Structure formats: C-alpha cells, structure tokens
Amino acid sequence: MTTDAHALFQSHPRSYSHNKYVYPVLSRRAKGLSIGVNINPDKSCNFNCIYCQVDRSTPGTVGPIDLEALRAELEQMVELAASGRIFEGPQFASAPAELRRLRDIAISGDGEPTLRPELPQVVDICAEVRRRSGLDDLKLVLLTNGSLLHKPEVAVALKTLDANNGEIWFKLDAGSQHFYYQVARSAVPRWRILANLIEAARARPIVIQTLLMRIDGVGPSDEEMGTYCLLLRTVASDGGRIKLVQVHTIARPPAESCVTPLPDAEIDRLVELIRRETGLPVEGFYGAAAEG
Ligand code: SF4
C-alpha cells in the first residue's frame, strides 16, 4: 500500500465540510467508500470501553437530531460519492482505484446509535435515500454494542434495515463475563448482550466486530480466546448465523493509556485461531487499518 493510501485509512474524521451528521470514510472493512451517519454528536454511550477512541476531550452536542438536515447531508453525500465527484476533492484524490466505489451507509459515530430515540426515523431516511440512489448493492450498516436490540423502537429500525439490504455489525470484544466487564465497564448485564446476540443472529445473518488489544502490555489470554471461540460456536449451535467475524485493534488514542494495539503478526495469529476453532469466515485488520 502506498504511503498516501495508508494515511487515507488512518484519517477518520467524523466531520466533512460543514456537515453535522454525515461524513465519508475510505474503509478497508467496507472495501471502498463508506458514508458514516453519526447520530451521537452528544457522544452518549452505555458502555465505557477502556479502548474507546471517541475524542471525549471536547464535549458533545446535546439536543434532538435535526432529521431534515441529516437527510439533506446524506442526499448530497450519496450523490457526490455515487457520481465519483468526491474523488476529485483533496481528501480522496489519492484513493486507490479498487476502493473508488460507494459500498455502504453506516450508522455509527461517536456513541451507541441505539440509544437515540430518532434511530427508526434515521434508518427510514437512509433506506429512502438508498432506494432513490438506484444502487442495489449499497448496504445499510448499523454498528452497535447490541445492548438495546431488544427494545421495541430498535426492533422497528431493524425491520427497516432488514428490508433494505441492511447488516448489523455487532460489537463482541469478550468471551468471558469477567473480560466483558473489564473491557466494556458497563452496567448492562452480560446476559442481556448474549440474549440480544443470539436473537439478532437468529433473525438474520450478522457480522461480529471484535476489537483485541494489549492491556498493560499483555494481549488476550489463551483462556479468554478459548471462551470467546466457544461463545461463537454456541451462537451458531443455537441457530444463530454469523456471516463474518471482523477482528481489529486500536488505531487512534484510546480512553486508557494501558491499552495499546496488537502487532500485525498477533492479529494474524488470532484470526487463524478463531477461524480454526469456529469454522467461521474471519477477516483481520491491522492497527493502521482499523475504523471505529
Ligand atoms: S467503543 Fe463504542 S461502545 Fe465502547 S464506549 Fe466507545 S462508543 Fe461506546
């Protein structure tokens, strides 16, 4: 990869021009251009991950989402990306040819999107803009920690997602209960995450996103990795469908300084281990390639 392309993947601003909600990212995980929709400008989350890479040095913006502004930003960005004009601008001028393609609209950003009451309307807007774009293979992606998928209003959003080439990217960083509480530092009980994981994977094939890291210089233990693989096998044996496991590590400054990225060779080793132990498709992404 060229130095320019490398820098492109590392560059991951959640702002573009004067936009408040919508930003473009060259995404190796999406294998092209991803349009991010940040519905957490308030930076709210019910997890407090030790590796969180959201910049909390500045406060978020509270208040309701301006849905009409979001729609206008999204329409404009999809047009810019689908027409290819976005690659004429300075931010993506050096993007490799094979990545010059709009792949998805990803609802993600600076917090947990399922916390926002506007989620169903936001998914509706994304679906409508996608339909009008005429790009049949354009995906809608919801990045989530999975803690609130059982809520009726979130279920409404998932239904729309399912009907519009949608995908859930479910964050699962821990196999054991102990490691979950150590990493996520959340009041959400572990059983709730697991129940939602199985339910979501039974309803449609999902993507698992797992961030692995060193804590105080030490990577995940063999025991933890064994428990994690067992959990994935249990989801599958309970009727859950996992279409892909994405393994990545940190790429930007984390919440806690005890957290550092895993070296590339360690990512490769763990990807191979998960593949072997679960039989699932697994993709690894190195530190410089990670996106949050
Ligand atoms: S990494 Fe995601 S789930 Fe974890 S605290 Fe940050 S925003 Fe929340």
Side-chain angles (χ1 to χ4, degrees), residues 43-54 56 109-113 144-145 171 173 183-184 211 292:
K43 303 188 180 180
S44 59
C45 193
N46 55 356
F47 277 22
N48 179 24
C49 300
I50 58 172
Y51 64 78
C52 185
Q53 295 161 90
V54 173
R56 295 182 197 280
D110 288 338
E112 173 51 43
T144 177
N145 63 27
K171 173 192 291 294
D173 300 324
V183 171
L211 188 141

PDB file of all heavy atoms in Angstrom, residues 43-54 56 109-113 144-145 171 173 183-184 211 292, ligand 1:
ATOM      1  N   LYS A  43     -22.134  12.201  21.915  1.00  0.00           N
ATOM      2  CA  LYS A  43     -21.109  11.255  22.404  1.00  0.00           C
ATOM      3  C   LYS A  43     -21.650  10.329  23.506  1.00  0.00           C
ATOM      4  O   LYS A  43     -20.900   9.881  24.380  1.00  0.00           O
ATOM      5  CB  LYS A  43     -19.858  11.998  22.893  1.00  0.00           C
ATOM      6  CG  LYS A  43     -19.242  12.901  21.826  1.00  0.00           C
ATOM      7  CD  LYS A  43     -17.917  13.486  22.252  1.00  0.00           C
ATOM      8  CE  LYS A  43     -17.350  14.369  21.142  1.00  0.00           C
ATOM      9  NZ  LYS A  43     -16.065  14.971  21.480  1.00  0.00           N
ATOM     10  N   SER A  44     -22.949  10.069  23.475  1.00  0.00           N
ATOM     11  CA  SER A  44     -23.536   9.237  24.530  1.00  0.00           C
ATOM     12  C   SER A  44     -23.321   7.750  24.259  1.00  0.00           C
ATOM     13  O   SER A  44     -23.376   7.298  23.114  1.00  0.00           O
ATOM     14  CB  SER A  44     -25.044   9.527  24.639  1.00  0.00           C
ATOM     15  OG  SER A  44     -25.662   9.259  23.401  1.00  0.00           O
ATOM     16  N   CYS A  45     -23.066   7.024  25.326  1.00  0.00           N
ATOM     17  CA  CYS A  45     -22.905   5.575  25.205  1.00  0.00           C
ATOM     18  C   CYS A  45     -23.221   4.928  26.546  1.00  0.00           C
ATOM     19  O   CYS A  45     -22.993   5.525  27.597  1.00  0.00           O
ATOM     20  CB  CYS A  45     -21.486   5.218  24.770  1.00  0.00           C
ATOM     21  SG  CYS A  45     -21.363   3.495  24.244  1.00  0.00           S
ATOM     22  N   ASN A  46     -23.734   3.698  26.505  1.00  0.00           N
ATOM     23  CA  ASN A  46     -23.980   2.973  27.755  1.00  0.00           C
ATOM     24  C   ASN A  46     -22.845   1.983  28.047  1.00  0.00           C
ATOM     25  O   ASN A  46     -22.939   1.199  28.972  1.00  0.00           O
ATOM     26  CB  ASN A  46     -25.348   2.278  27.739  1.00  0.00           C
ATOM     27  CG  ASN A  46     -25.518   1.370  26.538  1.00  0.00           C
ATOM     28  OD1 ASN A  46     -24.652   1.298  25.666  1.00  0.00           O
ATOM     29  ND2 ASN A  46     -26.634   0.663  26.485  1.00  0.00           N
ATOM     30  N   PHE A  47     -21.799   2.006  27.214  1.00  0.00           N
ATOM     31  CA  PHE A  47     -20.547   1.326  27.524  1.00  0.00           C
ATOM     32  C   PHE A  47     -19.518   2.408  27.857  1.00  0.00           C
ATOM     33  O   PHE A  47     -19.709   3.577  27.516  1.00  0.00           O
ATOM     34  CB  PHE A  47     -20.037   0.527  26.309  1.00  0.00           C
ATOM     35  CG  PHE A  47     -20.654  -0.844  26.125  1.00  0.00           C
ATOM     36  CD1 PHE A  47     -21.884  -1.169  26.672  1.00  0.00           C
ATOM     37  CD2 PHE A  47     -20.001  -1.816  25.375  1.00  0.00           C
ATOM     38  CE1 PHE A  47     -22.442  -2.427  26.488  1.00  0.00           C
ATOM     39  CE2 PHE A  47     -20.547  -3.075  25.174  1.00  0.00           C
ATOM     40  CZ  PHE A  47     -21.770  -3.387  25.732  1.00  0.00           C
ATOM     41  N   ASN A  48     -18.449   1.986  28.453  1.00  0.00           N
ATOM     42  CA  ASN A  48     -17.342   2.907  28.751  1.00  0.00           C
ATOM     43  C   ASN A  48     -16.045   2.149  28.463  1.00  0.00           C
ATOM     44  O   ASN A  48     -15.220   1.921  29.350  1.00  0.00           O
ATOM     45  CB  ASN A  48     -17.432   3.347  30.225  1.00  0.00           C
ATOM     46  CG  ASN A  48     -16.317   4.282  30.611  1.00  0.00           C
ATOM     47  OD1 ASN A  48     -15.740   4.967  29.766  1.00  0.00           O
ATOM     48  ND2 ASN A  48     -15.981   4.305  31.894  1.00  0.00           N
ATOM     49  N   CYS A  49     -15.916   1.712  27.204  1.00  0.00           N
ATOM     50  CA  CYS A  49     -14.829   0.795  26.834  1.00  0.00           C
ATOM     51  C   CYS A  49     -13.457   1.392  27.148  1.00  0.00           C
ATOM     52  O   CYS A  49     -13.216   2.573  26.875  1.00  0.00           O
ATOM     53  CB  CYS A  49     -14.897   0.469  25.347  1.00  0.00           C
ATOM     54  SG  CYS A  49     -16.440  -0.321  24.866  1.00  0.00           S
ATOM     55  N   ILE A  50     -12.583   0.533  27.646  1.00  0.00           N
ATOM     56  CA  ILE A  50     -11.245   1.024  28.006  1.00  0.00           C
ATOM     57  C   ILE A  50     -10.469   1.474  26.781  1.00  0.00           C
ATOM     58  O   ILE A  50      -9.529   2.237  26.894  1.00  0.00           O
ATOM     59  CB  ILE A  50     -10.431  -0.035  28.792  1.00  0.00           C
ATOM     60  CG1 ILE A  50     -10.289  -1.336  27.997  1.00  0.00           C
ATOM     61  CG2 ILE A  50     -11.042  -0.299  30.140  1.00  0.00           C
ATOM     62  CD1 ILE A  50      -9.321  -2.324  28.662  1.00  0.00           C
ATOM     63  N   TYR A  51     -10.896   0.993  25.598  1.00  0.00           N
ATOM     64  CA  TYR A  51     -10.167   1.347  24.377  1.00  0.00           C
ATOM     65  C   TYR A  51     -10.896   2.405  23.552  1.00  0.00           C
ATOM     66  O   TYR A  51     -10.472   2.712  22.437  1.00  0.00           O
ATOM     67  CB  TYR A  51      -9.953   0.104  23.508  1.00  0.00           C
ATOM     68  CG  TYR A  51     -11.242  -0.484  22.998  1.00  0.00           C
ATOM     69  CD1 TYR A  51     -11.923   0.085  21.922  1.00  0.00           C
ATOM     70  CD2 TYR A  51     -11.796  -1.605  23.607  1.00  0.00           C
ATOM     71  CE1 TYR A  51     -13.116  -0.447  21.469  1.00  0.00           C
ATOM     72  CE2 TYR A  51     -12.988  -2.139  23.165  1.00  0.00           C
ATOM     73  CZ  TYR A  51     -13.636  -1.555  22.093  1.00  0.00           C
ATOM     74  OH  TYR A  51     -14.824  -2.069  21.649  1.00  0.00           O
ATOM     75  N   CYS A  52     -12.011   2.929  24.065  1.00  0.00           N
ATOM     76  CA  CYS A  52     -12.854   3.807  23.242  1.00  0.00           C
ATOM     77  C   CYS A  52     -11.997   4.898  22.594  1.00  0.00           C
ATOM     78  O   CYS A  52     -11.181   5.536  23.247  1.00  0.00           O
ATOM     79  CB  CYS A  52     -13.956   4.441  24.088  1.00  0.00           C
ATOM     80  SG  CYS A  52     -15.094   5.419  23.071  1.00  0.00           S
ATOM     81  N   GLN A  53     -12.221   5.074  21.289  1.00  0.00           N
ATOM     82  CA  GLN A  53     -11.405   6.022  20.539  1.00  0.00           C
ATOM     83  C   GLN A  53     -12.181   7.290  20.171  1.00  0.00           C
ATOM     84  O   GLN A  53     -11.743   8.073  19.331  1.00  0.00           O
ATOM     85  CB  GLN A  53     -10.846   5.320  19.292  1.00  0.00           C
ATOM     86  CG  GLN A  53      -9.885   4.192  19.697  1.00  0.00           C
ATOM     87  CD  GLN A  53      -9.648   3.169  18.609  1.00  0.00           C
ATOM     88  OE1 GLN A  53      -8.742   3.303  17.803  1.00  0.00           O
ATOM     89  NE2 GLN A  53     -10.492   2.133  18.572  1.00  0.00           N
ATOM     90  N   VAL A  54     -13.341   7.454  20.799  1.00  0.00           N
ATOM     91  CA  VAL A  54     -14.093   8.698  20.614  1.00  0.00           C
ATOM     92  C   VAL A  54     -13.370   9.791  21.397  1.00  0.00           C
ATOM     93  O   VAL A  54     -13.018   9.600  22.568  1.00  0.00           O
ATOM     94  CB  VAL A  54     -15.546   8.536  21.122  1.00  0.00           C
ATOM     95  CG1 VAL A  54     -16.277   9.879  21.098  1.00  0.00           C
ATOM     96  CG2 VAL A  54     -16.295   7.501  20.295  1.00  0.00           C
ATOM     97  N   ARG A  56     -13.148  12.393  23.676  1.00  0.00           N
ATOM     98  CA  ARG A  56     -14.003  12.991  24.709  1.00  0.00           C
ATOM     99  C   ARG A  56     -13.321  14.184  25.395  1.00  0.00           C
ATOM    100  O   ARG A  56     -13.748  14.628  26.453  1.00  0.00           O
ATOM    101  CB  ARG A  56     -14.418  11.931  25.734  1.00  0.00           C
ATOM    102  CG  ARG A  56     -15.296  10.857  25.087  1.00  0.00           C
ATOM    103  CD  ARG A  56     -15.789   9.802  26.049  1.00  0.00           C
ATOM    104  NE  ARG A  56     -16.250   8.636  25.313  1.00  0.00           N
ATOM    105  CZ  ARG A  56     -17.434   8.540  24.724  1.00  0.00           C
ATOM    106  NH1 ARG A  56     -18.293   9.529  24.805  1.00  0.00           N
ATOM    107  NH2 ARG A  56     -17.765   7.457  24.044  1.00  0.00           N
ATOM    108  N   GLY A 109     -20.629   6.217  14.622  1.00  0.00           N
ATOM    109  CA  GLY A 109     -20.203   7.532  15.077  1.00  0.00           C
ATOM    110  C   GLY A 109     -19.687   7.575  16.485  1.00  0.00           C
ATOM    111  O   GLY A 109     -19.044   6.635  16.954  1.00  0.00           O
ATOM    112  N   ASP A 110     -20.023   8.648  17.176  1.00  0.00           N
ATOM    113  CA  ASP A 110     -19.382   8.948  18.451  1.00  0.00           C
ATOM    114  C   ASP A 110     -20.130   8.396  19.662  1.00  0.00           C
ATOM    115  O   ASP A 110     -20.110   9.001  20.735  1.00  0.00           O
ATOM    116  CB  ASP A 110     -19.243  10.471  18.602  1.00  0.00           C
ATOM    117  CG  ASP A 110     -18.172  11.021  17.676  1.00  0.00           C
ATOM    118  OD1 ASP A 110     -17.293  10.243  17.268  1.00  0.00           O
ATOM    119  OD2 ASP A 110     -18.224  12.220  17.364  1.00  0.00           O
ATOM    120  N   GLY A 111     -20.803   7.282  19.538  1.00  0.00           N
ATOM    121  CA  GLY A 111     -21.528   6.715  20.676  1.00  0.00           C
ATOM    122  C   GLY A 111     -22.326   5.504  20.227  1.00  0.00           C
ATOM    123  O   GLY A 111     -22.032   4.910  19.183  1.00  0.00           O
ATOM    124  N   GLU A 112     -23.328   5.137  21.000  1.00  0.00           N
ATOM    125  CA  GLU A 112     -24.158   3.974  20.685  1.00  0.00           C
ATOM    126  C   GLU A 112     -25.444   4.448  20.005  1.00  0.00           C
ATOM    127  O   GLU A 112     -26.307   5.069  20.654  1.00  0.00           O
ATOM    128  CB  GLU A 112     -24.466   3.191  21.976  1.00  0.00           C
ATOM    129  CG  GLU A 112     -25.451   2.059  21.809  1.00  0.00           C
ATOM    130  CD  GLU A 112     -25.108   1.110  20.659  1.00  0.00           C
ATOM    131  OE1 GLU A 112     -23.939   0.747  20.481  1.00  0.00           O
ATOM    132  OE2 GLU A 112     -26.049   0.739  19.923  1.00  0.00           O
ATOM    133  N   PRO A 113     -25.602   4.169  18.708  1.00  0.00           N
ATOM    134  CA  PRO A 113     -26.745   4.729  17.969  1.00  0.00           C
ATOM    135  C   PRO A 113     -28.115   4.267  18.466  1.00  0.00           C
ATOM    136  O   PRO A 113     -29.101   4.988  18.328  1.00  0.00           O
ATOM    137  CB  PRO A 113     -26.503   4.289  16.521  1.00  0.00           C
ATOM    138  CG  PRO A 113     -25.465   3.238  16.580  1.00  0.00           C
ATOM    139  CD  PRO A 113     -24.690   3.426  17.838  1.00  0.00           C
ATOM    140  N   THR A 144     -23.278  -1.456  16.357  1.00  0.00           N
ATOM    141  CA  THR A 144     -23.921  -1.396  17.675  1.00  0.00           C
ATOM    142  C   THR A 144     -23.213  -2.286  18.691  1.00  0.00           C
ATOM    143  O   THR A 144     -22.606  -3.300  18.325  1.00  0.00           O
ATOM    144  CB  THR A 144     -25.400  -1.811  17.560  1.00  0.00           C
ATOM    145  OG1 THR A 144     -25.993  -1.820  18.868  1.00  0.00           O
ATOM    146  CG2 THR A 144     -25.566  -3.191  16.949  1.00  0.00           C
ATOM    147  N   ASN A 145     -23.331  -1.907  19.957  1.00  0.00           N
ATOM    148  CA  ASN A 145     -22.831  -2.801  21.010  1.00  0.00           C
ATOM    149  C   ASN A 145     -23.883  -3.837  21.401  1.00  0.00           C
ATOM    150  O   ASN A 145     -23.638  -4.669  22.270  1.00  0.00           O
ATOM    151  CB  ASN A 145     -22.329  -2.018  22.231  1.00  0.00           C
ATOM    152  CG  ASN A 145     -23.431  -1.211  22.922  1.00  0.00           C
ATOM    153  OD1 ASN A 145     -24.605  -1.544  22.862  1.00  0.00           O
ATOM    154  ND2 ASN A 145     -23.039  -0.137  23.604  1.00  0.00           N
ATOM    155  N   LYS A 171     -20.838  -5.536  18.077  1.00  0.00           N
ATOM    156  CA  LYS A 171     -19.572  -5.487  18.827  1.00  0.00           C
ATOM    157  C   LYS A 171     -19.523  -6.614  19.856  1.00  0.00           C
ATOM    158  O   LYS A 171     -20.403  -6.737  20.695  1.00  0.00           O
ATOM    159  CB  LYS A 171     -19.483  -4.143  19.543  1.00  0.00           C
ATOM    160  CG  LYS A 171     -18.297  -4.010  20.488  1.00  0.00           C
ATOM    161  CD  LYS A 171     -18.432  -2.796  21.377  1.00  0.00           C
ATOM    162  CE  LYS A 171     -18.290  -1.516  20.594  1.00  0.00           C
ATOM    163  NZ  LYS A 171     -16.927  -1.357  20.032  1.00  0.00           N
ATOM    164  N   ASP A 173     -16.392  -8.028  22.125  1.00  0.00           N
ATOM    165  CA  ASP A 173     -14.960  -7.973  22.408  1.00  0.00           C
ATOM    166  C   ASP A 173     -14.504  -9.023  23.410  1.00  0.00           C
ATOM    167  O   ASP A 173     -13.305  -9.203  23.594  1.00  0.00           O
ATOM    168  CB  ASP A 173     -14.584  -6.583  22.967  1.00  0.00           C
ATOM    169  CG  ASP A 173     -14.901  -5.474  21.989  1.00  0.00           C
ATOM    170  OD1 ASP A 173     -14.739  -5.692  20.774  1.00  0.00           O
ATOM    171  OD2 ASP A 173     -15.328  -4.397  22.430  1.00  0.00           O
ATOM    172  N   VAL A 183     -13.472  -4.816  30.053  1.00  0.00           N
ATOM    173  CA  VAL A 183     -13.284  -4.018  28.828  1.00  0.00           C
ATOM    174  C   VAL A 183     -14.404  -2.997  28.643  1.00  0.00           C
ATOM    175  O   VAL A 183     -14.145  -1.817  28.395  1.00  0.00           O
ATOM    176  CB  VAL A 183     -13.195  -4.944  27.587  1.00  0.00           C
ATOM    177  CG1 VAL A 183     -13.235  -4.134  26.294  1.00  0.00           C
ATOM    178  CG2 VAL A 183     -11.926  -5.771  27.652  1.00  0.00           C
ATOM    179  N   ALA A 184     -15.652  -3.439  28.759  1.00  0.00           N
ATOM    180  CA  ALA A 184     -16.783  -2.543  28.455  1.00  0.00           C
ATOM    181  C   ALA A 184     -17.127  -1.610  29.610  1.00  0.00           C
ATOM    182  O   ALA A 184     -17.693  -0.533  29.397  1.00  0.00           O
ATOM    183  CB  ALA A 184     -18.015  -3.359  28.063  1.00  0.00           C
ATOM    184  N   LEU A 211     -12.743  -6.174  18.816  1.00  0.00           N
ATOM    185  CA  LEU A 211     -11.510  -5.410  18.972  1.00  0.00           C
ATOM    186  C   LEU A 211     -10.633  -6.103  20.009  1.00  0.00           C
ATOM    187  O   LEU A 211     -11.065  -6.333  21.141  1.00  0.00           O
ATOM    188  CB  LEU A 211     -11.801  -3.964  19.397  1.00  0.00           C
ATOM    189  CG  LEU A 211     -10.559  -3.072  19.373  1.00  0.00           C
ATOM    190  CD1 LEU A 211     -10.894  -1.679  18.846  1.00  0.00           C
ATOM    191  CD2 LEU A 211      -9.907  -2.967  20.748  1.00  0.00           C
ATOM    192  N   GLY A 292     -13.490   2.851  13.553  1.00  0.00           N
ATOM    193  CA  GLY A 292     -14.380   2.617  14.675  1.00  0.00           C
ATOM    194  C   GLY A 292     -15.806   2.882  14.419  1.00  0.00           C
ATOM    195  O   GLY A 292     -16.184   3.352  13.410  1.00  0.00           O
TER     196      GLY A 292
HETATM  197  S1  SF4 B   1     -16.084   1.962  21.859  1.00  0.00           S
HETATM  198 FE1  SF4 B   1     -18.192   2.253  21.183  1.00  0.00          FE
HETATM  199  S2  SF4 B   1     -19.389   1.031  22.657  1.00  0.00           S
HETATM  200 FE2  SF4 B   1     -17.392   1.378  23.575  1.00  0.00          FE
HETATM  201  S3  SF4 B   1     -17.606   3.246  24.818  1.00  0.00           S
HETATM  202 FE3  SF4 B   1     -16.825   3.868  22.810  1.00  0.00          FE
HETATM  203  S4  SF4 B   1     -18.645   4.402  21.643  1.00  0.00           S
HETATM  204 FE4  SF4 B   1     -19.327   3.158  23.388  1.00  0.00          FE
END
